Amino acid sequence: MHRSYNSILPTHNRLLQKKWDDTYYNEHRQKVYTAKPMVDTRAPPTYMHLHLKLKKLQLEEERLATIERDNRILLEKMSYIMRTRGRVDNRNNYEYRSLNREKRQRELLRLTRENQSILGRITQRKPEYSADSWARQWEDDQKFMDNISHFPKNWWLMKVRKPGKSKS
């Protein structure tokens, strides 16, 4: 019985049922083999006009052409200067003339006169405070502080005498 075919479904003829089941199975295997995927996993299409950027290339070529042309013109000018003396004119005989120079000079003279008059008034004025009286008052204050202080003046600079040693 182990060599005979046992169908899942009840059948009258086991041999025919085996043949039909094999046919269905082979058809199923063929369909699985030739099945196409439902989800597109390919890379998206690449468009050359997005990657090549012809306008950018054109602008770069124009910029390089302009640089080359300017370099050639400079080279021609330099070679002309080297061939000839150069004839560089660096003299400038133009005198600078200001339209309001006289007015500025008059204003400067007026300010100078005013400053000198103010300086004269300041130097002629007697001082309100006397430095001599301040110095005298400071000395008096120092004497008063020495009289009322507990320690002598500049006590921290004096040498300390150790007890037990005498000066002999």
Side-chain angles (χ1 to χ4, degrees):
M1 192 84 174
H2 69 281
R3 292 188 180 180
S4 65
Y5 176 73
N6 289 326
S7 175
I8 295 173
L9 300 173
T11 180
H12 293 288
N13 190 341
R14 287 186 194 163
L15 187 62
L16 282 177
Q17 188 65 40
K18 179 177 179 3
K19 186 176 178 186
W20 292 335
D21 286 346
D22 286 344
T23 304
Y24 291 145
Y25 178 73
N26 289 335
E27 286 177 4
H28 168 72
R29 294 301 300 160
Q30 186 63 31
K31 286 180 182 177
V32 168
Y33 183 75
T34 59
K36 300 215 177 187
M38 297 303 270
V39 177
D40 185 14
T41 57
R42 293 178 300 182
T46 58
Y47 302 106
M48 288 310 293
H49 70 280
L50 295 177
H51 294 288
L52 192 55
K53 299 186 180 174
L54 294 174
K55 185 66 175 180
K56 184 178 179 182
L57 290 174
Q58 179 186 3
L59 291 174
E60 184 68 20
E61 287 177 7
E62 289 175 2
R63 189 180 73 84
L64 290 175
T66 304
I67 291 172
E68 287 294 324
R69 182 175 50 85
D70 292 345
N71 285 344
R72 184 178 43 77
I73 291 171
L74 281 174
L75 186 62
E76 287 175 3
K77 288 180 181 178
M78 288 173 54
S79 64
Y80 174 75
I81 289 171
M82 294 299 285
R83 281 194 314 257
T84 62
R85 258 182 56 187
R87 294 185 187 164
V88 177
D89 181 19
N90 58 0
R91 281 184 243 123
N92 189 2
N93 297 329
Y94 176 74
E95 292 182 22
Y96 178 73
R97 293 185 191 134
S98 175
L99 296 177
N100 62 353
R101 184 172 86 182
E102 295 173 6
K103 182 180 177 188
R104 281 191 287 116
Q105 286 180 344
R106 283 195 307 262
E107 184 70 19
L108 183 63
L109 287 174
R110 183 184 65 81
L111 286 174
T112 306
R113 281 194 300 267
E114 284 181 11
N115 287 342
Q116 286 178 348
S117 67
I118 292 172
L119 179 64
R121 287 197 306 260
I122 290 174
T123 53
Q124 290 174 1
R125 178 90 174 149
K126 288 190 177 183
E128 304 246 346
Y129 300 107
S130 171
D132 294 335
S133 68
W134 281 359
R136 282 193 304 274
Q137 188 179 1
W138 173 254
E139 289 173 2
D140 292 342
D141 290 344
Q142 287 295 320
K143 287 178 188 175
F144 180 70
M145 287 173 60
D146 286 342
N147 288 337
I148 65 171
S149 67
H150 183 68
F151 294 103
K153 190 175 184 180
N154 297 332
W155 61 270
W156 59 87
L157 299 176
M158 294 181 181
K159 290 186 179 181
V160 178
R161 280 194 273 170
K162 295 184 180 176
K165 291 192 176 180
S166 61
K167 287 183 163 182
S168 36

